[in-house]
Amino acid sequence: MGHDPYRVLVFCILVRYQDSAVVLIQQYTASTREMAIMTGVLFSALLLLSFEVARVLSMEAWAVTDWSDATATFYGGSDASGTMGGACGYGNLYSTGYGVQSTALSNALLNNGLTCGACFALECRLDGSKWCYPGKQIVVTATNACPPGSEGGWCDPPKLHFDLAYPMFSQLAQGVAGVIPVKYKRVPCQKQGGIRFTMHGNPWFDYVLVYNVGGMGSVCGVSIKGDKTGWYSMSQNWGQYWSASSNLVGQELSFEVRLCNGNTQEFYNVAPSNWEFGQTFEADNNFD
């Protein structure tokens, strides 16, 4: 026999030739008992392989932690002044701590605002553009949306696209490139200080901006409570504004925040009982 049957079997599993694998088992096993054992091993391996394939396919584009392909352009002027505000609700990106290390995302990545605050590492693909700078990598935070119908159609569904603040684009490639192929992945956000909450609304409606979020950065759930109430679940209003119909005026406020990877923390007594609308409060801690 010129071939190792076990190596051939592994090969057949990897390329999913189940029928061929069964034939090989029959040829290279000496007894019915061995054939039964090997057949069981085969189908167990195939089952595990199918679970792994399903896991990979189910990972959404905005959540990938392995390098994946996308494209990138730039906007907002050479000083990034045109990137202030945006669909995530962060307003002045300098005062909220994001600065020029920001990007707008096509909705295939922004996920209707739930990717706001997420951090991405990007590199220009040297095999796709002569304008790339070799060995350069940047980390940016999602702060805005790049809407469908934008110039060039780069943000039209289902495209994966980063519209970077120009100071960040210029670290990856020469500006003359206009659009570049990139590879990207999610990375943890490194933040200074605690998670922050800005209170808006009225006595019967709490409307809270959540930002400066560490860890995976993107928030998928918020709850709020006063020192005299239980937890009120909040709904995403837009971007990273979360709202609830609750009257918590005159009470100390606590928050529960759930990141989109499921990591959840409670932040107690963030705001004192004399808090007012328009004020921002910082928790003592943050996500790692």
Side-chain angles (χ1 to χ4, degrees), residues 11-92:
F11 173 79
C12 292
I13 291 173
L14 290 176
V15 296
R16 304 187 203 178
Y17 289 148
Q18 298 99 320
D19 294 339
S20 298
V22 171
V23 170
L24 283 168
I25 290 171
Q26 294 171 341
Q27 289 178 351
Y28 290 112
T29 50
S31 67
T32 302
R33 181 173 179 275
E34 280 188 350
M35 186 169 70
I37 292 172
M38 289 298 295
T39 302
V41 170
L42 166 67
F43 287 107
S44 295
L46 288 172
L47 184 61
L48 290 172
L49 180 61
S50 68
F51 285 155
E52 178 63 16
V53 170
R55 183 191 69 79
V56 171
L57 291 177
S58 67
M59 183 164 284
E60 300 289 358
W62 56 79
V64 296
T65 54
D66 294 323
W67 289 111
S68 298
D69 292 334
T71 52
T73 49
F74 59 86
Y75 80 115
S78 60
D79 61 354
S81 59
T83 65
M84 300 297 115
C88 291
Y90 296 136
N92 186 313

Side-chain angles (χ1 to χ4, degrees), residues 199 203 206 224-232 246-255 269-276 279 281:
M199 302 298 300
D206 292 311
I224 187 172
K225 73 180 294 295
D227 55 25
K228 300 174 184 176
T229 72
W231 290 102
Y232 292 93
S246 52
N247 186 349
L248 301 176
V249 173
Q251 300 184 52
E252 293 183 357
L253 301 181
S254 301
F255 297 89
N269 305 323
V270 175
S273 59
N274 62 345
W275 64 269
E276 296 181 0
Q279 292 182 318
F281 301 95

Side-chain angles (χ1 to χ4, degrees), residues 4-241:
D4 181 340
Y6 297 99
R7 290 184 179 179
V8 176
L9 174 59
V10 169
F11 173 79
C12 292
I13 291 173
L14 290 176
V15 296
R16 304 187 203 178
Y17 289 148
Q18 298 99 320
D19 294 339
S20 298
V22 171
V23 170
L24 283 168
I25 290 171
Q26 294 171 341
Q27 289 178 351
Y28 290 112
T29 50
S31 67
T32 302
R33 181 173 179 275
E34 280 188 350
M35 186 169 70
I37 292 172
M38 289 298 295
T39 302
V41 170
L42 166 67
F43 287 107
S44 295
L46 288 172
L47 184 61
L48 290 172
L49 180 61
S50 68
F51 285 155
E52 178 63 16
V53 170
R55 183 191 69 79
V56 171
L57 291 177
S58 67
M59 183 164 284
E60 300 289 358
W62 56 79
V64 296
T65 54
D66 294 323
W67 289 111
S68 298
D69 292 334
T71 52
T73 49
F74 59 86
Y75 80 115
S78 60
D79 61 354
S81 59
T83 65
M84 300 297 115
C88 291
Y90 296 136
N92 186 313
L93 299 181
Y94 289 105
S95 62
T96 49
Y98 299 107
V100 301
Q101 293 81 31
S102 65
T103 185
L105 301 178
S106 61
N107 197 56
L109 289 167
L110 193 63
N111 187 24
N112 297 313
L114 291 176
T115 310
C116 288
C119 296
F120 295 88
L122 278 78
E123 295 181 3
C124 189
R125 283 179 42 211
L126 298 175
D127 60 346
S129 174
K130 65 180 181 180
W131 306 112
C132 295
Y133 294 134
K136 297 295 185 179
Q137 183 180 120
I138 62 172
V139 174
V140 291
T141 302
T143 60
N144 202 356
C146 182
S150 298
E151 183 177 355
W154 295 106
C155 293
D156 293 349
K159 294 178 180 178
L160 306 178
H161 188 74
F162 294 81
D163 201 12
L164 300 165
Y166 180 76
M168 303 310 294
F169 183 95
S170 64
Q171 294 183 36
L172 292 180
Q174 296 181 46
V176 68
V179 58
I180 56 173
V182 296
K183 57 182 182 178
Y184 78 95
K185 64 179 178 179
R186 284 284 292 273
V187 294
C189 298
Q190 306 297 323
K191 298 300 179 185
Q192 297 294 320
I195 187 172
R196 295 170 191 159
F197 306 87
T198 299
M199 302 298 300
H200 298 280
N202 59 56
W204 300 274
F205 182 73
D206 292 311
Y207 186 54
V208 183
L209 173 64
V210 183
Y211 66 100
N212 199 53
V213 182
M216 291 310 288
S218 55
V219 175
C220 277
V222 180
S223 296
I224 187 172
K225 73 180 294 295
D227 55 25
K228 300 174 184 176
T229 72
W231 290 102
Y232 292 93
S233 179
M234 307 189 82
S235 300
Q236 183 198 25
N237 195 291
W238 65 280
Q240 278 303 309
Y241 274 95

